Amino acid sequence: MNAFFLVDGNGNVLDRNFSSKMEPGADKKLSKAIAACGRIYLSISPKQFRYAAFLRRNNTQVFIFRFGRHLLGVVTEVGAQNPDTDRMAKEIFAILSKEKT
């Protein structure tokens, strides 16, 4: 995992952890993108939204999960060493679901 961002619906960063490899200003752009994508998916299907994922040009993938009233964005590198993305997303979703109970 390269980074995680916990953001509110407006893209304000509530917590984050990212590697120094990220390009300058990427954290602000990512937090806004996480919020925008999360809002879109939540408006389409708020009860069935599990996670969303998108690829970035720099060979990273961003997963977006609902975390209470906030959104959790997890940034990973896409590559041969990474586990299957569906499996990884399901594992993160399972962890977040356990936290709700």
Side-chain angles (χ1 to χ4, degrees), residues 24-73:
D27 57 334
K28 190 169 191 165
K29 290 177 186 176
L30 273 172
S31 66
K32 297 294 182 188
I34 290 165
C37 290
R39 279 193 311 267
I40 291 168
Y41 281 99
L42 287 169
S43 69
I44 293 170
S45 183
K47 293 188 190 255
Q48 294 180 353
F49 174 68
R50 294 180 61 130
Y51 72 91
F54 63 89
L55 292 172
R56 297 179 66 222
R57 285 187 216 153
N58 65 352
N59 207 32
T60 58
Q61 186 168 11
V62 180
F63 292 94
I64 303 168
F65 301 89
R66 178 189 274 182
F67 188 68
R69 294 185 347 219
H70 307 297
L71 296 163
L72 174 67

Side-chain angles (χ1 to χ4, degrees), residues 50-100:
R50 294 180 61 130
Y51 72 91
F54 63 89
L55 292 172
R56 297 179 66 222
R57 285 187 216 153
N58 65 352
N59 207 32
T60 58
Q61 186 168 11
V62 180
F63 292 94
I64 303 168
F65 301 89
R66 178 189 274 182
F67 188 68
R69 294 185 347 219
H70 307 297
L71 296 163
L72 174 67
V74 178
V75 183
T76 63
E77 287 185 25
V78 177
Q81 292 89 355
N82 283 348
D84 176 71
T85 55
D86 279 344
R87 184 176 62 93
M88 186 172 68
K90 286 176 185 174
E91 288 176 11
I92 294 170
F93 181 75
I95 292 167
L96 294 176
S97 295
K98 287 179 187 176
E99 293 295 320
K100 291 180 187 177

